[in-house]
Amino acid sequence: MRIGILALQGAFAEHGAMLDRLQVPHFEIRQVNDFLQAPPDGLILPGGESTTMGKLLRELSLLEPIRQAILAGMPVFGTCAGLLLLAKKLENDDRRHLATMDLCAQRNAYGRQLGSYETEGAFADCGTVPMVFIRAPHIVGALSEEVETLAQVNGRIVAARQKNQLAVCFHPELTRDPSIHRYFLQMVQSR
Ligand code: GLN
C-alpha cells in the first residue's frame, strides 16, 4: 500500500509523520507527474487554505486527474480544507474544487476568533478521539443518502463518509491519536 499526500500547501508534512508512525509508505504529490506516474492506493488532502489549494490544483493540471481517480473509486481522506476541496457545495463561497462528495459545507463556520479549539468526540466505531479545529468548516448537510455521519460535535456534523471518500472538519494529524488515519487505511485496504 502506498498513500499519496497532496503537498501543495498546508499541513501535509504532519500527515506524513502520522503515516511514518504507522509504518505506511507514502509520497508527496506536488506535480501532475507525481500522481500519474504511480497513482496512489489512497490520497490524503490536507488542511490549509482551500482557495489556494484549489487554485494550485487547477494551475498544475492536477484537478481533473485527481477528480477522475476519486470518481473511479480511489479512497480519499480530506481534512479541513481537504474537506472543502471535496464538497459539492460551499454555502458561503461560489467556488467548487474537486466537488466529488455529496456534502454542503460552510467555510470558517465558527467565526474568526472562535474558529480554533480542541475537544473530544466519538468517531464512528473508533471510540472517543481528540479533535483539533482550526478556522474549521462544518458540514451543513448531506446532499444524498450515500453520505454517512461519522461524528458530531454540539449537534454539528464534523466527519462524514461517502463510499471511498472520508472527510473531517478537524485535524487528526495534529494529535498523537492515529485512530482516524487507521480508519482511512482500512478503507484503502478493503478496496
Ligand atoms: N479556513 C480554511 C479554508 O477555508 C480551512 C482551515 C483549515 O484547513 N484548517 O480553506
Side-chain angles (χ1 to χ4, degrees), residues 46-51 53 79-82 84 107-108 133-137 169 171:
E49 196 53 48
S50 55
T51 311
M53 272 194 268
T79 56
C80 207
L84 294 166
R107 296 183 68 196
N108 302 318
F133 292 85
I134 303 173
R135 292 191 307 109
C169 296
H171 286 268

PDB file of all heavy atoms in Angstrom, residues 46-51 53 79-82 84 107-108 133-137 169 171, ligand 1:
ATOM      1  N   PRO A  46      -4.747  17.542   2.663  1.00  0.00           N
ATOM      2  CA  PRO A  46      -4.528  18.113   3.992  1.00  0.00           C
ATOM      3  C   PRO A  46      -5.354  19.377   4.248  1.00  0.00           C
ATOM      4  O   PRO A  46      -5.999  19.918   3.342  1.00  0.00           O
ATOM      5  CB  PRO A  46      -3.039  18.459   3.971  1.00  0.00           C
ATOM      6  CG  PRO A  46      -2.764  18.779   2.549  1.00  0.00           C
ATOM      7  CD  PRO A  46      -3.658  17.872   1.731  1.00  0.00           C
ATOM      8  N   GLY A  47      -5.258  19.867   5.476  1.00  0.00           N
ATOM      9  CA  GLY A  47      -5.811  21.166   5.820  1.00  0.00           C
ATOM     10  C   GLY A  47      -4.872  22.264   5.348  1.00  0.00           C
ATOM     11  O   GLY A  47      -3.710  22.014   5.012  1.00  0.00           O
ATOM     12  N   GLY A  48      -5.385  23.458   5.316  1.00  0.00           N
ATOM     13  CA  GLY A  48      -4.608  24.603   4.839  1.00  0.00           C
ATOM     14  C   GLY A  48      -5.591  25.652   4.400  1.00  0.00           C
ATOM     15  O   GLY A  48      -6.510  25.986   5.133  1.00  0.00           O
ATOM     16  N   GLU A  49      -5.443  26.114   3.186  1.00  0.00           N
ATOM     17  CA  GLU A  49      -6.351  27.130   2.651  1.00  0.00           C
ATOM     18  C   GLU A  49      -6.940  26.567   1.357  1.00  0.00           C
ATOM     19  O   GLU A  49      -6.227  26.417   0.363  1.00  0.00           O
ATOM     20  CB  GLU A  49      -5.549  28.412   2.422  1.00  0.00           C
ATOM     21  CG  GLU A  49      -6.386  29.643   2.243  1.00  0.00           C
ATOM     22  CD  GLU A  49      -7.407  29.872   3.365  1.00  0.00           C
ATOM     23  OE1 GLU A  49      -7.033  29.786   4.548  1.00  0.00           O
ATOM     24  OE2 GLU A  49      -8.582  30.104   3.051  1.00  0.00           O
ATOM     25  N   SER A  50      -8.227  26.271   1.403  1.00  0.00           N
ATOM     26  CA  SER A  50      -8.840  25.571   0.261  1.00  0.00           C
ATOM     27  C   SER A  50      -8.777  26.397  -1.024  1.00  0.00           C
ATOM     28  O   SER A  50      -8.599  25.850  -2.111  1.00  0.00           O
ATOM     29  CB  SER A  50     -10.284  25.202   0.584  1.00  0.00           C
ATOM     30  OG  SER A  50     -11.009  26.361   0.965  1.00  0.00           O
ATOM     31  N   THR A  51      -8.897  27.719  -0.902  1.00  0.00           N
ATOM     32  CA  THR A  51      -8.878  28.566  -2.101  1.00  0.00           C
ATOM     33  C   THR A  51      -7.516  28.477  -2.789  1.00  0.00           C
ATOM     34  O   THR A  51      -7.426  28.332  -4.014  1.00  0.00           O
ATOM     35  CB  THR A  51      -9.152  30.034  -1.700  1.00  0.00           C
ATOM     36  OG1 THR A  51     -10.306  30.035  -0.870  1.00  0.00           O
ATOM     37  CG2 THR A  51      -9.406  30.901  -2.887  1.00  0.00           C
ATOM     38  N   MET A  53      -5.266  26.039  -2.413  1.00  0.00           N
ATOM     39  CA  MET A  53      -5.056  24.680  -2.939  1.00  0.00           C
ATOM     40  C   MET A  53      -5.850  24.453  -4.212  1.00  0.00           C
ATOM     41  O   MET A  53      -5.356  23.837  -5.156  1.00  0.00           O
ATOM     42  CB  MET A  53      -5.423  23.647  -1.883  1.00  0.00           C
ATOM     43  CG  MET A  53      -4.259  23.326  -0.986  1.00  0.00           C
ATOM     44  SD  MET A  53      -4.549  21.833  -0.025  1.00  0.00           S
ATOM     45  CE  MET A  53      -5.268  22.567   1.416  1.00  0.00           C
ATOM     46  N   THR A  79      -8.987  16.469   5.147  1.00  0.00           N
ATOM     47  CA  THR A  79      -9.076  17.072   6.483  1.00  0.00           C
ATOM     48  C   THR A  79      -9.220  18.580   6.315  1.00  0.00           C
ATOM     49  O   THR A  79      -8.420  19.226   5.643  1.00  0.00           O
ATOM     50  CB  THR A  79      -7.823  16.766   7.342  1.00  0.00           C
ATOM     51  OG1 THR A  79      -6.642  17.203   6.673  1.00  0.00           O
ATOM     52  CG2 THR A  79      -7.683  15.284   7.598  1.00  0.00           C
ATOM     53  N   CYS A  80     -10.251  19.126   6.918  1.00  0.00           N
ATOM     54  CA  CYS A  80     -10.460  20.566   6.988  1.00  0.00           C
ATOM     55  C   CYS A  80     -10.503  21.192   5.583  1.00  0.00           C
ATOM     56  O   CYS A  80     -11.468  20.970   4.872  1.00  0.00           O
ATOM     57  CB  CYS A  80      -9.399  21.167   7.896  1.00  0.00           C
ATOM     58  SG  CYS A  80      -9.958  22.681   8.667  1.00  0.00           S
ATOM     59  N   ALA A  81      -9.509  21.935   5.154  1.00  0.00           N
ATOM     60  CA  ALA A  81      -9.548  22.477   3.792  1.00  0.00           C
ATOM     61  C   ALA A  81      -9.703  21.339   2.771  1.00  0.00           C
ATOM     62  O   ALA A  81     -10.331  21.522   1.717  1.00  0.00           O
ATOM     63  CB  ALA A  81      -8.293  23.282   3.502  1.00  0.00           C
ATOM     64  N   GLY A  82      -9.159  20.171   3.086  1.00  0.00           N
ATOM     65  CA  GLY A  82      -9.318  18.993   2.211  1.00  0.00           C
ATOM     66  C   GLY A  82     -10.779  18.628   2.040  1.00  0.00           C
ATOM     67  O   GLY A  82     -11.226  18.245   0.955  1.00  0.00           O
ATOM     68  N   LEU A  84     -13.178  20.786   2.210  1.00  0.00           N
ATOM     69  CA  LEU A  84     -13.755  21.835   1.347  1.00  0.00           C
ATOM     70  C   LEU A  84     -13.434  21.578  -0.128  1.00  0.00           C
ATOM     71  O   LEU A  84     -14.217  21.938  -1.005  1.00  0.00           O
ATOM     72  CB  LEU A  84     -13.249  23.208   1.788  1.00  0.00           C
ATOM     73  CG  LEU A  84     -13.724  23.642   3.179  1.00  0.00           C
ATOM     74  CD1 LEU A  84     -12.909  24.840   3.686  1.00  0.00           C
ATOM     75  CD2 LEU A  84     -15.204  23.986   3.173  1.00  0.00           C
ATOM     76  N   ARG A 107     -17.536  27.304   5.088  1.00  0.00           N
ATOM     77  CA  ARG A 107     -16.170  27.682   5.450  1.00  0.00           C
ATOM     78  C   ARG A 107     -16.168  28.529   6.713  1.00  0.00           C
ATOM     79  O   ARG A 107     -17.105  29.281   6.950  1.00  0.00           O
ATOM     80  CB  ARG A 107     -15.505  28.505   4.335  1.00  0.00           C
ATOM     81  CG  ARG A 107     -15.330  27.743   3.064  1.00  0.00           C
ATOM     82  CD  ARG A 107     -14.600  28.607   2.032  1.00  0.00           C
ATOM     83  NE  ARG A 107     -13.213  28.853   2.441  1.00  0.00           N
ATOM     84  CZ  ARG A 107     -12.451  29.803   1.906  1.00  0.00           C
ATOM     85  NH1 ARG A 107     -12.939  30.598   0.987  1.00  0.00           N
ATOM     86  NH2 ARG A 107     -11.211  29.951   2.322  1.00  0.00           N
ATOM     87  N   ASN A 108     -15.087  28.447   7.464  1.00  0.00           N
ATOM     88  CA  ASN A 108     -14.882  29.297   8.655  1.00  0.00           C
ATOM     89  C   ASN A 108     -16.178  29.397   9.472  1.00  0.00           C
ATOM     90  O   ASN A 108     -16.634  30.488   9.813  1.00  0.00           O
ATOM     91  CB  ASN A 108     -14.404  30.687   8.237  1.00  0.00           C
ATOM     92  CG  ASN A 108     -13.111  30.607   7.441  1.00  0.00           C
ATOM     93  OD1 ASN A 108     -12.210  29.843   7.786  1.00  0.00           O
ATOM     94  ND2 ASN A 108     -13.008  31.352   6.370  1.00  0.00           N
ATOM     95  N   PHE A 133      -9.724  21.806  15.944  1.00  0.00           N
ATOM     96  CA  PHE A 133     -10.379  22.603  14.898  1.00  0.00           C
ATOM     97  C   PHE A 133      -9.590  23.895  14.696  1.00  0.00           C
ATOM     98  O   PHE A 133      -9.277  24.591  15.670  1.00  0.00           O
ATOM     99  CB  PHE A 133     -11.806  22.964  15.319  1.00  0.00           C
ATOM    100  CG  PHE A 133     -12.736  21.776  15.389  1.00  0.00           C
ATOM    101  CD1 PHE A 133     -12.800  20.990  16.534  1.00  0.00           C
ATOM    102  CD2 PHE A 133     -13.532  21.444  14.304  1.00  0.00           C
ATOM    103  CE1 PHE A 133     -13.653  19.888  16.595  1.00  0.00           C
ATOM    104  CE2 PHE A 133     -14.392  20.348  14.363  1.00  0.00           C
ATOM    105  CZ  PHE A 133     -14.451  19.574  15.507  1.00  0.00           C
ATOM    106  N   ILE A 134      -9.254  24.217  13.451  1.00  0.00           N
ATOM    107  CA  ILE A 134      -8.531  25.454  13.150  1.00  0.00           C
ATOM    108  C   ILE A 134      -9.268  26.179  12.021  1.00  0.00           C
ATOM    109  O   ILE A 134      -9.286  25.688  10.891  1.00  0.00           O
ATOM    110  CB  ILE A 134      -7.074  25.165  12.722  1.00  0.00           C
ATOM    111  CG1 ILE A 134      -6.349  24.379  13.818  1.00  0.00           C
ATOM    112  CG2 ILE A 134      -6.340  26.477  12.411  1.00  0.00           C
ATOM    113  CD1 ILE A 134      -4.970  23.894  13.424  1.00  0.00           C
ATOM    114  N   ARG A 135      -9.866  27.284  12.345  1.00  0.00           N
ATOM    115  CA  ARG A 135     -10.681  28.026  11.357  1.00  0.00           C
ATOM    116  C   ARG A 135     -11.464  27.021  10.505  1.00  0.00           C
ATOM    117  O   ARG A 135     -11.428  27.014   9.281  1.00  0.00           O
ATOM    118  CB  ARG A 135      -9.794  28.921  10.491  1.00  0.00           C
ATOM    119  CG  ARG A 135      -9.184  30.072  11.301  1.00  0.00           C
ATOM    120  CD  ARG A 135      -8.510  31.124  10.437  1.00  0.00           C
ATOM    121  NE  ARG A 135      -7.545  30.540   9.547  1.00  0.00           N
ATOM    122  CZ  ARG A 135      -7.688  30.439   8.232  1.00  0.00           C
ATOM    123  NH1 ARG A 135      -8.759  30.905   7.637  1.00  0.00           N
ATOM    124  NH2 ARG A 135      -6.760  29.893   7.506  1.00  0.00           N
ATOM    125  N   ALA A 136     -12.191  26.199  11.233  1.00  0.00           N
ATOM    126  CA  ALA A 136     -12.723  24.983  10.626  1.00  0.00           C
ATOM    127  C   ALA A 136     -14.037  25.222   9.890  1.00  0.00           C
ATOM    128  O   ALA A 136     -14.824  26.095  10.260  1.00  0.00           O
ATOM    129  CB  ALA A 136     -12.950  23.953  11.720  1.00  0.00           C
ATOM    130  N   PRO A 137     -14.269  24.378   8.887  1.00  0.00           N
ATOM    131  CA  PRO A 137     -15.589  24.360   8.267  1.00  0.00           C
ATOM    132  C   PRO A 137     -16.510  23.471   9.104  1.00  0.00           C
ATOM    133  O   PRO A 137     -16.045  22.759   9.990  1.00  0.00           O
ATOM    134  CB  PRO A 137     -15.317  23.683   6.929  1.00  0.00           C
ATOM    135  CG  PRO A 137     -14.156  22.788   7.179  1.00  0.00           C
ATOM    136  CD  PRO A 137     -13.345  23.429   8.275  1.00  0.00           C
ATOM    137  N   CYS A 169     -13.756  17.695   9.588  1.00  0.00           N
ATOM    138  CA  CYS A 169     -13.592  19.148   9.727  1.00  0.00           C
ATOM    139  C   CYS A 169     -12.370  19.505  10.577  1.00  0.00           C
ATOM    140  O   CYS A 169     -11.991  20.663  10.645  1.00  0.00           O
ATOM    141  CB  CYS A 169     -14.813  19.746  10.407  1.00  0.00           C
ATOM    142  SG  CYS A 169     -16.312  19.557   9.440  1.00  0.00           S
ATOM    143  N   HIS A 171      -8.390  18.220  12.566  1.00  0.00           N
ATOM    144  CA  HIS A 171      -7.024  17.870  12.155  1.00  0.00           C
ATOM    145  C   HIS A 171      -6.480  16.686  12.961  1.00  0.00           C
ATOM    146  O   HIS A 171      -5.702  16.897  13.904  1.00  0.00           O
ATOM    147  CB  HIS A 171      -6.092  19.062  12.382  1.00  0.00           C
ATOM    148  CG  HIS A 171      -6.262  20.167  11.395  1.00  0.00           C
ATOM    149  ND1 HIS A 171      -5.528  20.266  10.228  1.00  0.00           N
ATOM    150  CD2 HIS A 171      -7.093  21.224  11.400  1.00  0.00           C
ATOM    151  CE1 HIS A 171      -5.894  21.347   9.568  1.00  0.00           C
ATOM    152  NE2 HIS A 171      -6.848  21.947  10.265  1.00  0.00           N
TER     153      HIS A 171
HETATM  154  N1  GLN B   1     -10.428  28.098   6.667  1.00  0.00           N
HETATM  155  C1  GLN B   1      -9.727  27.255   5.745  1.00  0.00           C
HETATM  156  C2  GLN B   1     -10.393  27.269   4.357  1.00  0.00           C
HETATM  157  O1  GLN B   1     -11.415  27.840   4.192  1.00  0.00           O
HETATM  158  C3  GLN B   1      -9.650  25.822   6.263  1.00  0.00           C
HETATM  159  C4  GLN B   1      -8.839  25.808   7.530  1.00  0.00           C
HETATM  160  C5  GLN B   1      -8.040  24.557   7.747  1.00  0.00           C
HETATM  161  O2  GLN B   1      -7.798  23.751   6.852  1.00  0.00           O
HETATM  162  N2  GLN B   1      -7.562  24.401   8.962  1.00  0.00           N
HETATM  163  O3  GLN B   1      -9.869  26.711   3.466  1.00  0.00           O
END
